[in-house]
Amino acid sequence: MTYKEILAAAMRQSAIDCSCGEEDFRGVTHVFVENKASEQASKFLKSPNTCRLVSYGSNVVASCRKDLIPEVEALVNGQEKFHRCFEPMAIYELNKILQKAGARVAWMHSFYLPDPDAVFSAELTCPYEMREMHPEDFTDLYVPEWSNALSSPAKKHLDMLGYGAYDGDKLIGLAGCSDDCVEMWQIGIDVLPEYRRKGVASALTNRLARAIFEHGKIPLYAAAWSNVRSIRNGMKSGFRPAWAALESEIINTEN
């Protein structure tokens, strides 16, 4: 599978998540559509969503509640550069729009796709034994130490495969992947604090990425824009920046 084919697969999924066409992410003109529910949407996203902004680097696709489209369109088109939509000043204004719908910006991430040549040519090792792990091995691992590598207990059925690093019998690092959507499994990684900066994270992430390819799926990696350590790990492991996404959530007024 080539990187071009991998990117096309990611855009197909983003099109489902945003209720738009795959070609909408390749244009230079912004696209504004109503977000609709889909059973094929990524399993970790709310479907439908009040407002979702996605950019693959040339424009912004804004997928939101129909009555919010005019204001969101004015906000996006009003930015000097399209990437400003993902910066604080625009987010402040977007929150004002979302408040009318009882919602707010929930998170913003950068997503990374594997460069197959980089993934399979990387020679990443760590000083600890690495073992392949499966769902039955995760049973007692749904604890805070492994909350990035594994899904929440409520969604543990989505966890498909993992690689653990062991110091003797002690699990000191874990890379796990979840069944994010039809074509992609998303990777998460955790390393115990006292074992960091020893190459554990990158070795596990890279090995899991290879295994995901071997299972006929595309490995996906995501990080918050400010999580520099995670971004470095993804890049070292063979992943390259592909798209940025902003997601909203309904405000819980019961708390």
Side-chain angles (χ1 to χ4, degrees):
M1 179 175 281
T2 65
Y3 184 79
K4 184 177 180 180
E5 291 171 330
I6 290 170
L7 182 62
M11 287 184 174
R12 284 195 294 273
Q13 185 60 48
S14 290
I16 293 171
D17 296 339
C18 292
S19 310
C20 67
E22 178 186 335
E23 68 280 359
D24 289 332
F25 300 104
R26 294 191 171 96
V28 295
T29 303
H30 303 317
V31 176
F32 304 92
V33 296
E34 180 182 1
N35 189 260
K36 299 179 180 179
S38 172
E39 293 183 356
Q40 294 180 306
S42 296
K43 298 178 177 67
F44 292 92
L45 298 179
K46 298 291 185 181
S47 182
N49 193 263
T50 307
C51 183
R52 177 177 296 130
L53 303 184
V54 174
S55 177
Y56 275 81
S58 62
N59 69 341
V60 172
V61 172
S63 180
C64 49
R65 213 172 74 176
K66 187 174 182 179
D67 60 305
L68 299 179
I69 290 178
E71 288 186 89
V72 173
E73 182 174 355
L75 173 61
V76 172
N77 285 332
Q79 302 305 307
E80 180 183 1
K81 303 287 185 179
F82 71 87
H83 58 82
R84 300 290 187 193
C85 294
F86 299 89
E87 295 185 0
M89 294 308 296
I91 292 175
Y92 295 151
E93 295 304 314
L94 179 59
N95 261 330
K96 293 178 183 178
I97 297 171
L98 294 177
Q99 283 176 359
K100 302 173 185 178
R104 63 188 173 194
V105 174
W107 54 258
M108 184 179 71
H109 280 57
S110 294
F111 289 83
Y112 299 77
L113 292 173
D115 175 344
D117 291 336
V119 169
F120 285 100
S121 65
E123 297 181 1
L124 301 177
T125 61
C126 74
Y128 303 98
E129 178 189 3
M130 292 190 292
R131 305 176 192 170
E132 184 172 304
M133 302 175 70
H134 301 92
E136 59 269 23
D137 301 313
F138 302 147
T139 303
D140 298 324
L141 301 181
Y142 290 93
V143 293
E145 289 88 342
W146 314 116
S147 60
N148 291 313
L150 300 176
S151 304
S152 67
K155 293 188 175 182
K156 61 183 180 181
H157 61 284
L158 298 176
D159 291 329
M160 308 304 294
L161 185 67
Y163 264 85
Y166 287 81
D167 184 357
D169 293 328
K170 180 181 180 181
L171 179 65
I172 58 92
L174 175 62
C177 63
S178 56
D179 180 13
D180 188 74
C181 55
V182 174
E183 297 184 81
M184 295 185 287
W185 287 356
Q186 186 170 172
I187 294 175
I189 178 73
D190 283 299
V191 178
L192 297 182
E194 62 270 28
Y195 290 91
R196 292 172 185 167
R197 299 183 180 275
K198 297 182 179 181
V200 176
S202 57
L204 289 173
T205 302
N206 177 265
R207 186 63 193 88
L208 181 56
R210 296 184 188 203
I212 292 171
F213 273 126
E214 292 165 3
H215 279 74
K217 299 292 184 178
I218 297 170
L220 172 65
Y221 191 87
W225 66 269
S226 57
N227 193 342
V228 177
R229 182 172 63 195
S230 181
I231 293 170
R232 286 175 177 166
N233 177 60
M235 298 286 285
K236 185 177 179 181
S237 304
F239 289 82
R240 303 293 178 258
W243 79 94
L246 178 151
E247 187 89 359
S248 66
E249 66 179 2
I250 297 298
I251 300 172
N252 185 355
T253 58
E254 295 179 359
N255 295 332

